[in-house]
Amino acid sequence: MEDSNENAAKEKIDDSSNHDKEYSADKEYSDDDKKKIGDDVEKNTTEEKKRAVLARQASSVRSSFHTCISKAPPDGKATFFNDEKGNLKFVNFVIRYPIPIFSFIIILCIASCFILGSLFDGNPISEGANEYAMNDIRSIAYDSLRLAQEEVLDEYEESQPDKDNRRLELSDSRIQEDQGDILIWIYDSKTSDGLFTIEGIKEIRKSEDIILKNPKYPNYCQLEYNSTSATGCKQPLSAMNIFYASEWNTTAADFVINQLESRENLPSTVNTTIDSLNNTALEVFNFLSICKLLDYLGDQCEDVKEVTSLIQWADLIETEIDNIIGKWDGLAEELNETNIEQMTEFIAYINQITTKRGNVVFYLDKNFALDNPKTMFSRSLLYWGELLNGTTTTDESKDELKKFILSDLLLELNEATEKDNNPEVQTYYFMGSLIFDIILRILAVDASLVLIPFLLVFFYLRYMIGSWFLACVGMFEIVMSLPLAWLTFSYIFQIKYFSALNILCIFIVMAIGADDIFVFMDSYKQSASAGPDVLSSFETRMSWVYRRSGSAMLLTSITTCCAFLVTISFPIVGIRSFGIFAAFVIIFDYFLVMSLFCTATIIYHNHFETKAGCCNCSCRKCDPTSTEIAKKKDEDGEEPTVDPISRFFEEKVTPFMLSGRNRIIIGVVLLIWVIISIIFVSRLQPTTNAEEFLDENHPLQIGATILDREFEKTEQDAPSKIYLTWGLEDANRKGVNQLFDP
């Protein structure tokens, strides 16, 4: 073919030259015309030479195709893997029985899913609290403490009657006395005026009344008892207790504010200690209130103890403050709108008094102050009781509470948190018994989003392969890689620690699985133009495809598995679990491509490939098959067609990459990128805020972020725990493997 192309090019050049000679015999040309004609001839000659070079390259590629097929054994005898013709025995078997083998593999995959599902016992995800380094001294000390606590608790519980029964035995009438759960309201102002405006306060009250005004609320709230009976539901911890106080003493509030506002209001007989501090009246009162709390212990407090007028002044103010705070019960039906400004100012002063700020600080954000009496964020606590009436265990009580909230409150609670609910306040809420349901709802939404990349991969497979049947089988084998790997990982190899990270393998296998399918189908398509040796029979063709694609995929699969298995050296068990599971997923994906998808390709070749129409599903075989058509074209000397993507890489990408200058440019760009990455990696620092476990715009995450960053820590907030241990022997972790015994 090379010689024929070169001869054709020469003949065309000779014809062109003869034509020019004949034409010039009839007419004389100027020197410029002759030069132009000569340039055209030279250009045509160059183009023909280029075509000849491409023809030689194409011939070289075909020759390399021919060398890829396995030759028959020299002695003509079959081997363990090959028959006497050099074809793979496995491929011969699949070609002989494609539909039974295909059905068997499909049934095996589905059966594995049912077996896996039957083996589940509760939540398969392992507890994240176990993710610590085994040899870290801090984790050993904490583990020692935890084990000691569990041992003591077990002995204590064995010596005591059942907790729930004991609570019932104490008094059947004291139901809902203990705290079963809490609901946290979080408020975010939508205006620059803050939350403590008439409109904002009314919206907050409206949200809380969803629960407080529900007629069934007394049956579920935490009850407070006196010596004989219940006195009612425990008062919510809310700023609404202040603004909806049953009584607001305007005169007393004015007196306190005026007394604390200026130093001029201090008694004339001021102690020298206080006088030397040059403090404001508020700071003097703050100092005196602390001294009173400490019973005037300490040098400075003892100095002011004898100044009767100063002590009386402080006692008078404190009495007025306590009287006002004592009326903060939230029982008023209507908001006293005329006193909102005074109430806010009073709250600002109370927030500055160390011994009194505990009454208001929970409701205020970090920026609230005397010179900035606006809080952009606020929060409330509502208390639920247990054991509920008619229940005998804690779990039963919690279930009843959850049923009540889901059936009677959840719809209204969700409406209150809608962004367009009102123009003043954005509301969020948390509740322990609902968190799991909310997380499940989030996971359900996120799981549905997995369909987007799934569908994108599916339709891209369909576009590249050109077959709905093969695209469906391809996606099936990709998905089946997960349960097969899971069954092997957890129940054959008995690796009990299943990390939540393992679920992310679905995205990894979608990418790698689709790539393996493309490699297999590219080999299949290339085999149609691989020459008469490959096309001598369908068994020979598929053996060539199997060897060519199988070796390439095996190499990439092994390197990918090795990369994931490197995580075995990591100290964190969750990462090790993820790496091992991902390696299993890649292995099973490779096996399914080489078995299930290979079988599907044979069925596609026999029944679908050459039939007209995209949905022709008749059972009769193709006549002729694509192998017979390709063999006929090869015998007729027809040039093979090249798909657009292959042509793009052959004609554009390959010449670009073969250019030395381009490779240098790419290398420099990559080097710059690596340097920039190293610089930014070196600047990484430990996190200073709580990790955001959801999208930053999710209502649950927004509420958690507000609670973590916008409020001071109070006695109602769960503190960060620091453990100091002594007197305990280190836990013996010899022989412990978290993967097998989490």
Side-chain angles (χ1 to χ4, degrees):
M1 185 174 287
E2 293 178 23
D3 295 338
S4 62
N5 286 336
E6 291 178 354
N7 291 335
K10 290 179 180 178
E11 291 174 3
K12 187 171 183 180
I13 295 171
D14 293 341
D15 291 343
S16 176
S17 301
N18 294 334
H19 177 74
D20 292 337
K21 291 177 181 178
E22 293 173 1
Y23 194 79
S24 61
D26 298 334
K27 184 176 181 179
E28 292 295 330
Y29 289 93
S30 64
D31 293 340
D32 291 339
D33 291 337
K34 291 178 180 180
K35 185 176 183 302
K36 183 177 180 181
I37 293 172
D39 292 340
D40 291 340
V41 172
E42 183 178 355
K43 182 178 180 181
N44 291 334
T45 304
T46 303
E47 293 295 330
E48 293 298 333
K49 288 182 178 179
K50 288 182 178 179
R51 293 191 185 97
V53 171
L54 291 175
R56 284 195 297 272
Q57 291 176 344
S59 176
S60 175
V61 171
R62 292 191 187 91
S63 297
S64 66
F65 284 174
H66 295 168
T67 60
C68 286
I69 64 173
S70 176
K71 301 298 182 182
D75 55 1
K77 295 182 180 180
T79 64
F80 182 78
F81 292 104
N82 302 333
D83 62 12
E84 62 278 0
K85 296 180 181 180
N87 299 329
L88 291 170
K89 290 182 178 179
F90 171 77
V91 173
N92 294 343
F93 181 72
V94 175
I95 290 177
R96 191 175 297 117
Y97 307 106
I99 295 179
I101 294 174
F102 179 80
S103 302
F104 173 76
I105 299 174
I106 293 289
I107 293 172
L108 185 64
C109 291
I110 296 175
S112 299
C113 293
F114 280 105
I115 294 173
L116 181 65
S118 65
L119 294 174
F120 278 160
D121 184 16
N123 184 8
I125 307 298
S126 300
E127 183 182 357
N130 293 334
E131 295 189 355
Y132 50 76
M134 288 288 290
N135 298 322
D136 186 88
I137 187 173
R138 293 164 295 184
S139 69
I140 294 175
Y142 176 75
D143 214 17
S144 303
L145 175 63
R146 180 178 60 83
L147 293 173
Q149 288 175 331
E150 290 179 359
E151 185 176 346
V152 172
L153 183 61
D154 289 342
E155 293 181 2
Y156 174 77
E157 290 181 347
E158 288 177 3
S159 65
Q160 299 291 326
D162 181 73
K163 176 184 175 183
D164 292 329
N165 289 337
R166 187 168 69 254
R167 289 159 63 181
L168 291 172
E169 291 170 0
L170 290 175
S171 176
D172 291 337
S173 62
R174 296 178 75 89
I175 59 174
Q176 301 167 226
E177 183 178 16
D178 296 330
Q179 181 178 303
D181 206 342
I182 60 172
L183 186 142
I184 306 176
W185 283 109
I186 303 133
Y187 308 107
D188 181 1
S189 177
K190 294 182 179 180
T191 69
S192 59
D193 295 329
L195 293 170
F196 294 163
T197 61
I198 295 175
E199 296 80 8
I201 293 171
K202 287 182 177 179
E203 291 297 337
I204 294 175
R205 181 72 165 187
K206 181 180 177 182
S207 297
E208 296 180 3
D209 279 348
I210 293 174
I211 299 174
L212 299 177
K213 296 295 185 181
N214 188 290
K216 297 181 182 179
Y217 175 64
N219 299 328
Y220 297 91
C221 68
Q222 182 179 3
L223 295 177
E224 292 184 324
Y225 284 82
N226 56 24
S227 58
T228 57
S229 62
T231 58
C233 292
K234 183 177 180 179
Q235 184 181 12
L237 188 61
S238 170
M240 298 303 100
N241 296 337
I242 304 174
F243 293 104
Y244 283 86
S246 58
E247 179 184 331
W248 179 260
N249 192 329
T250 304
T251 304
D254 274 336
F255 171 76
V256 172
I257 293 172
N258 291 331
Q259 289 296 311
L260 299 179
E261 190 174 22
S262 173
R263 186 179 174 88
E264 296 176 358
N265 296 321
L266 289 173
S268 57
T269 55
V270 176
N271 183 273
T272 55
T273 301
I274 296 178
D275 189 56
S276 63
L277 296 177
N278 195 27
N279 291 338
T280 63
L282 176 61
E283 292 169 332
V284 170
F285 177 80
N286 204 9
F287 171 74
L288 293 173
S289 62
I290 295 174
C291 286
K292 182 178 180 180
L293 183 66
L294 298 175
D295 200 19
Y296 296 98
L297 297 176
D299 295 338
Q300 289 187 330
C301 290
E302 287 181 354
D303 290 339
V304 300
K305 186 176 182 180
E306 303 301 328
V307 185
T308 306
S309 60
L310 197 59
I311 300 300
Q312 291 176 345
W313 173 79
D315 288 344
L316 178 60
I317 295 176
E318 184 171 24
T319 300
E320 295 294 348
I321 291 175
D322 290 341
N323 289 337
I324 294 174
I325 292 176
K327 299 296 183 179
W328 290 355
D329 50 19
L331 298 179
E333 292 295 329
E334 298 295 333
L335 176 64
N336 189 346
E337 300 181 5
T338 58
N339 294 321
I340 297 297
E341 186 175 345
Q342 186 191 55
M343 290 177 175
T344 304
E345 186 178 7
F346 184 82
I347 292 172
Y349 274 98
I350 296 300
N351 191 47
Q352 300 297 315
I353 302 172
T354 304
T355 57
K356 303 297 181 184
R357 68 191 310 263
N359 295 284
V360 297
V361 68
F362 182 81
Y363 321 127
L364 310 173
D365 63 28
K366 291 180 178 180
N367 299 318
F368 186 87
L370 270 174
D371 56 355
N372 180 40
K374 296 180 182 179
T375 183
M376 305 305 293
F377 303 94
S378 187
R379 52 184 174 170
S380 303
L381 287 183
L382 281 78
Y383 304 95
W384 303 99
E386 68 174 26
L387 297 168
L388 298 180
N389 190 23
T391 63
T392 57
T393 65
T394 300
D395 290 339
E396 187 179 348
S397 180
K398 290 184 182 297
D399 289 340
E400 286 299 316
L401 173 62
K402 183 177 177 179
K403 289 178 184 177
F404 164 66
I405 294 172
L406 293 177
S407 61
D408 290 55
L409 297 176
L410 188 61
L411 183 61
E412 291 185 81
L413 293 177
N414 290 336
E415 289 177 356
T417 60
E418 294 291 338
K419 288 187 177 181
D420 56 354
N421 180 262
N422 67 83
E424 301 293 331
V425 181
Q426 177 62 54
T427 305
Y428 309 96
Y429 70 89
F430 284 101
M431 185 171 171
S433 60
L434 296 181
I435 288 295
F436 184 71
D437 293 86
I438 294 173
I439 295 297
L440 284 181
R441 193 185 311 157
I442 294 171
L443 292 177
V445 174
D446 290 347
S448 65
L449 295 178
V450 174
L451 291 175
I452 297 176
F454 185 89
L455 292 174
L456 288 175
V457 172
F458 171 74
F459 285 111
Y460 188 68
L461 279 176
R462 168 62 184 86
Y463 171 74
M464 295 299 298
I465 296 174
S467 166
W468 291 107
F469 171 69
L470 290 181
C472 291
V473 174
M475 293 308 299
F476 178 82
E477 68 87 3
I478 287 173
V479 173
M480 284 297 106
S481 302
L482 287 168
L484 290 173
W486 199 333
L487 186 64
T488 305
F489 176 88
S490 296
Y491 299 100
I492 296 179
F493 282 85
Q494 291 293 302
I495 300 176
K496 300 301 183 183
Y497 195 100
F498 193 85
S499 172
L501 290 174
N502 295 2
I503 305 300
L504 299 179
C505 287
I506 181 63
F507 300 103
I508 297 173
V509 75
M510 271 198 287
I512 295 177
D515 181 66
D516 288 346
I517 291 171
F518 292 147
V519 170
F520 189 91
M521 289 306 297
D522 283 346
S523 296
Y524 177 76
K525 292 177 181 178
Q526 291 169 1
S527 66
S529 57
D533 291 338
V534 173
L535 297 173
S536 60
S537 67
F538 186 45
E539 289 81 0
T540 305
R541 180 185 180 186
M542 287 306 298
S543 294
W544 183 90
V545 172
Y546 206 84
R547 290 189 177 98
R548 181 178 176 84
S549 62
S551 59
M553 287 187 287
L554 180 62
L555 180 62
T556 57
S557 297
I558 289 175
T559 54
T560 305
C561 287
C562 290
F564 281 118
L565 290 176
V566 169
T567 59
I568 294 177
S569 62
F570 282 41
I572 305 301
V573 65
I575 298 178
R576 278 185 282 155
S577 173
F578 167 73
I580 297 172
F581 182 75
F584 276 117
V585 171
I586 301 305
I587 291 172
F588 277 100
D589 175 71
Y590 174 77
F591 287 158
L592 288 175
V593 171
M594 298 305 293
S595 57
L596 179 63
F597 194 80
C598 171
T599 310
T601 304
I602 293 172
I603 296 174
Y604 168 71
H605 169 274
N606 293 340
H607 294 275
F608 305 119
E609 188 172 8
T610 60
K611 291 180 181 179
C614 64
C615 299
N616 193 326
C617 298
S618 60
C619 296
R620 64 181 180 83
K621 290 189 175 182
C622 296
D623 187 21
T625 64
S626 62
T627 302
E628 294 169 345
I629 295 172
K631 185 176 181 181
K632 181 69 169 55
K633 288 183 178 180
D634 185 76
E635 292 172 351
D636 295 342
E638 293 186 26
E639 289 292 328
T641 56
V642 182
D643 62 273
I645 294 180
S646 298
R647 185 181 300 112
F648 171 77
F649 278 92
E650 286 181 7
E651 298 178 0
K652 303 295 183 183
V653 177
T654 302
F656 179 83
M657 295 301 298
L658 291 176
S659 171
R661 184 187 64 179
N662 294 341
R663 291 200 298 271
I664 292 174
I665 294 174
I666 294 174
V668 171
V669 172
L670 290 177
L671 180 61
I672 294 173
W673 176 255
V674 170
I675 293 173
I676 294 174
S677 301
I678 292 174
I679 292 173
F680 278 95
V681 167
S682 65
R683 295 178 180 176
L684 290 177
Q685 297 178 348
T687 181
T688 56
N689 295 310
E691 182 181 1
E692 294 184 355
F693 58 94
L694 297 172
D695 181 80
E696 62 179 6
N697 295 319
H698 191 279
L700 200 62
Q701 184 59 60
I702 294 174
T705 302
I706 292 173
L707 287 175
D708 180 60
R709 301 179 184 178
E710 302 299 339
F711 296 101
E712 295 184 30
K713 298 303 179 183
T714 67
E715 60 181 335
Q716 287 80 20
D717 295 302
S720 299
K721 296 181 180 180
I722 299 176
Y723 296 95
L724 300 175
T725 63
W726 63 89
L728 296 174
E729 294 182 1
D730 289 343
N732 185 4
R733 291 179 172 177
K734 186 177 181 180
V736 175
N737 191 318
Q738 291 172 293
L739 286 172
F740 297 97
D741 186 17

